[in-house]
Amino acid sequence: MKPLLAALGWALSLSAAAAPCLPSADLIARDRQYEEALRVGDVAFLDRWLADDYVWVHNLASQTEGKAAVLERSKKPAVVHKSRTTSDVHAHAGGDTVVLRGLSTVEQWNADGKTWRSNRYQFMRTYINVGGQCKLLSVQTMKVWSSPSSG
């Protein structure tokens, strides 16, 4: 009986180790917090949420940032955007890795402070389980649409 229990315990530990860091709905909600943290420069949240090896590849590989660069930029954001929202988000899980794919709409104030413009990006974000904690490992964004001024 003991070998059977040991084998069952080993199998359960393997399945737990290969489980996504958060259920998809919870991860999508936390991903929205990531967008807000980027918007307002919440360095504490970003520091906890980003994996040590984090990398963000921006539109057409125009820029690549690691964790240190994003944290430094977030300390004193050059711009606080009007909003950052996500839509059409889908989760793709394999083992303990989840890739979120969706659209991010970033609204930025124009110089007049009354009107704004929007940019929409397709994103893919890879989340991993690191020692029982969910971490954002990588991001790739691609601009798919820009608006004229609104308001």
Side-chain angles (χ1 to χ4, degrees), residues 55-65 121-122 139-143:
V55 64
W56 181 353
V57 179
H58 292 265
N59 194 51
L60 297 174
S62 61
Q63 181 181 14
T64 301
E65 291 181 292
Y121 301 87
Q122 174 76 44
V139 177
Q140 183 163 10
T141 52
M142 177 65 65
K143 186 186 284 186

Side-chain angles (χ1 to χ4, degrees), residues 27 50 62 73 76 93 101 115 129 134 148:
L27 186 57
L50 304 181
S62 61
R73 180 169 50 90
K76 293 183 183 171
R101 166 182 63 86
T115 60
N129 187 336
C134 197

Side-chain angles (χ1 to χ4, degrees), residues 31-44:
D31 189 72
R32 286 187 193 109
Q33 290 178 307
Y34 165 73
E35 287 278 2
E36 181 64 8
L38 287 174
R39 186 184 82 77
V40 299
D42 185 344
V43 175

Side-chain angles (χ1 to χ4, degrees), residues 30-113:
R30 185 65 61 89
D31 189 72
R32 286 187 193 109
Q33 290 178 307
Y34 165 73
E35 287 278 2
E36 181 64 8
L38 287 174
R39 186 184 82 77
V40 299
D42 185 344
V43 175
F45 176 88
L46 293 169
D47 191 34
R48 286 188 313 271
W49 193 237
L50 304 181
D52 291 340
D53 231 6
Y54 168 89
V55 64
W56 181 353
V57 179
H58 292 265
N59 194 51
L60 297 174
S62 61
Q63 181 181 14
T64 301
E65 291 181 292
K67 181 176 180 176
V70 169
L71 294 177
E72 189 60 35
R73 180 169 50 90
S74 296
K75 287 178 184 176
K76 293 183 183 171
V79 164
V80 175
H81 295 95
K82 180 180 181 290
S83 68
R84 292 183 71 105
T85 57
T86 58
S87 60
D88 200 25
V89 180
H90 303 276
H92 306 274
D96 63 355
T97 301
V98 180
V99 175
L100 294 186
R101 166 182 63 86
L103 297 171
S104 175
T105 302
V106 179
E107 294 181 331
Q108 183 173 341
W109 292 107
N110 290 318
D112 65 11

Side-chain angles (χ1 to χ4, degrees), residues 8-26:
L8 181 59
W10 178 77
L12 288 173
S13 70
L14 282 180
S15 66
C21 50
L22 289 171
S24 294
D26 293 342

